[in-house]
């Protein structure tokens, strides 16, 4: 049982063998049984197929089978007519119940060596649908394999492209991570390759220029606002002592009597009052001068915990604990700056003491990775919520006296070392100031 293609190949092979067997001399229809007497068995054995030959009228002539085993002794007239009319091959499909198979009967015209028709060749072929399904299955397998290869190739190409893009994006990310928006001088990325990253770099550089422009505008506005507020504060602080000075002099002038025996004491008293107010104005000017310009830094390397313990000793009688997560935490900075920072924070904690409980101040020093954390915590009155947002403003104070410059100066000194300061507070519980400084040792 063969497929259609194999049948066609076999038919062509049998016809070629017959043509070769009849090519030696001019053969007639009557000569066919004798000429093919032995050759027909050889051709049938080689092709593994039955071979039956009829004359030009459709009558049986010879076969590789015994005559009594040949069921079809005559070719049907319609088929014979088609063959003799020159149809190259006539195929007739039927079904054989005895063997449960499809049958294809092929009829071809047989000619001699001078192309004269001398007979009709009949070749029966048996095949089942399973043969076609087997061929179909084989082609389906080929298609599946090819599709699988295409999918694998697509996945490989996608992986290569995505891997390249991820490397490009990773390179861009590394370049961006080196730049922070808080740098004093934001520089654009220098990138000269023309690839997928190029548009992204151009957009980033454009954004950097816009940020620089906005920073300059904000810096100008902030400076202008800061000086305006500073001018208001200076005017307010200077005006406060001027008023009593003016009233004192006016009152003295109104009551002045050169013949008064106590005139000397009154002049001395007035002079003392004026001098006190002048000293107050001088202290205000000095405070603002210190805020505007910090002293020159004289950095040195020292043990942070040991230095802070030495600083807090000036607060005799207060319960102050200094703790650290390491035996020695070295830092490189100005001791005077550190002294002013710690003294200011501890002084604020002392002034915030609650009358309901004994004041406790804890100074914690920790080294975490490449940062140093200093926290000053107290159990005082705490800071009201409406004030905590303004605690670092230059002219803000919650006390009855002072210019409100202490915490502003503290923040300025800390930021001068590339650090930061935050505050957390809860009323009637306490306040904690936390300082973060880079570990520069």
């Amino acid at each position: 049982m063969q497929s259609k293609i194999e049948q066609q190949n076999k038919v062509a092979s049998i016809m070629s063998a017959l043509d070769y067997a009849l090519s030696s001399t001019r053969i007639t229809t009557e000569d066919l049984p004798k000429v093919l007497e032995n050759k027909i068995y050889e051709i049938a054995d080689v092709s593994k197929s039955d071979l039956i030959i009829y004359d030009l009228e459709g009558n049986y002539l010879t076969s590789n089978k015994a005559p009594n085993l040949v069921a079809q002794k005559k070719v049907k007239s319609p088929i014979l007519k088609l063959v003799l009319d020159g149809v190259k091959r006539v195929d007739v499909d039927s079904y054989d119940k005895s063997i449960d198979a499809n049958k294809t009967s092929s009829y071809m015209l047989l000619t001699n060596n001078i192309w004269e028709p001398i007979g009709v060749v009949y070749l029966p072929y048996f095949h089942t649908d399973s043969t076609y399904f087997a061929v179909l299955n084989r082609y389906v397998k080929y298609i599946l394999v090819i599709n699988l290869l295409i999918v694998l190739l697509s996945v490989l190409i996608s992986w290569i492209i995505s891997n390249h893009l991820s490397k490009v994006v990773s390179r861009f990310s590394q370049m961006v991570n080196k730049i922070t928006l808080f740098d004093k001088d934001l520089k654009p990325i220098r990138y000269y390759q023309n690839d997928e990253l190029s548009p992204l770099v151009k957009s980033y550089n454009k954004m950097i220029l816009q940020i620089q422009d906005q920073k300059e505008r904000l810096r100008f506005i902030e400076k202008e606002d800061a000086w305006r507020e500073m001018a208001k504060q200076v005017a307010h602080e200077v005006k406060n002592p001027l008023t009593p000075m003016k009233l004192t002099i006016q009152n003295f002038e109104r009551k002045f009597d050169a013949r008064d025996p106590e005139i000397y004491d009154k002049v001395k008293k007035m002079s003392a009052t004026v001098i006190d107010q002048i000293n107050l104005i001088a202290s205000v000017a000095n405070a603002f001068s210190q805020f505007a310009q910090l002293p020159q830094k004289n950095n040195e390397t020292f043990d942070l915990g040991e230095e802070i313990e030495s600083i807090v000793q000036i607060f005799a009688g207060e319960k102050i604990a200094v703790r650290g997560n390491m035996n020695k935490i070295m830092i490189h900075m100005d001791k005077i700056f550190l002294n002013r920072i710690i003294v200011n924070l501890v002084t604020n904690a002392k002034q915030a003491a609650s009358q309901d409980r004994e004041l406790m101040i804890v100074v914690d020093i920790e080294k975490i990775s490449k940062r140093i954390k200093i926290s000053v915590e107290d159990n005082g009155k705490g800071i009201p919520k409406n004030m905590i947002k303004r605690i670092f403003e230059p002219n803000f104070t919650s006390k009855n006296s002072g210019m409100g410059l202490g915490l502003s100066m503290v923040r300025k000194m800390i930021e001068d070392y590339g650090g930061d300061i935050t505050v957390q507070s809860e009323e009637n519980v306490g306040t904690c100031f936390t300082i973060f400084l880079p570990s520069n040792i």
Side-chain angles (χ1 to χ4, degrees), residues 99-226:
I99 59 174
D100 189 24
N102 296 318
K103 176 182 178 183
T104 300
S105 300
S106 296
Y107 299 88
M108 286 81 57
L109 184 65
L110 183 63
T111 59
N112 58 13
N113 59 351
I114 60 172
W115 304 100
E116 292 177 340
I118 56 175
V120 176
V121 179
Y122 167 57
L123 299 174
Y125 295 99
F126 297 91
H127 54 87
T128 61
D129 292 337
S130 61
T131 304
Y132 299 106
F133 287 126
V135 174
L136 178 62
N137 187 45
R138 186 169 64 218
Y139 282 108
V140 168
K141 287 181 179 178
Y142 288 154
I143 293 172
L144 289 176
V145 170
I146 291 171
N147 287 336
L148 181 60
L149 291 174
I150 292 173
V151 170
L152 292 176
L153 183 61
S154 301
V155 170
L156 178 62
I157 293 173
S158 300
W159 179 82
I160 293 172
I161 295 174
S162 62
N163 189 46
H164 173 70
L165 288 175
S166 63
K167 286 181 179 179
V168 169
V169 173
S170 177
R171 285 164 56 198
F172 178 75
S173 177
Q174 291 174 359
M175 289 187 287
V176 171
N177 285 335
K178 294 178 182 178
I179 301 174
T180 64
L181 296 179
F182 301 100
D183 290 342
K184 291 182 179 179
D185 186 17
L186 289 174
K187 295 182 179 179
I189 297 174
R190 297 182 180 275
Y191 192 80
Y192 304 105
Q193 298 183 22
N194 188 19
D195 55 15
E196 296 86 350
L197 186 58
S198 181
L200 195 58
V201 172
K202 290 179 181 177
S203 298
Y204 178 80
N205 289 341
K206 184 178 179 181
M207 181 190 69
I208 288 293
L209 295 175
Q210 293 174 347
I211 289 174
Q212 287 178 331
D213 182 58
Q214 292 299 323
K215 283 181 68 176
E216 289 299 324
R217 293 183 182 181
L218 288 174
R219 189 179 294 116
F220 175 79
I221 293 171
E222 286 176 356
K223 284 183 178 180
E224 192 177 52
D225 290 343

Side-chain angles (χ1 to χ4, degrees), residues 45-46 141 150 161 165 245 250 259 278 293 315 353 438:
D45 288 340
V46 171
K141 287 181 179 178
I150 292 173
I161 295 174
L165 288 175
M245 286 173 62
Q250 286 176 342
R259 293 169 297 177
I278 291 173
Q293 185 176 4
F315 297 95

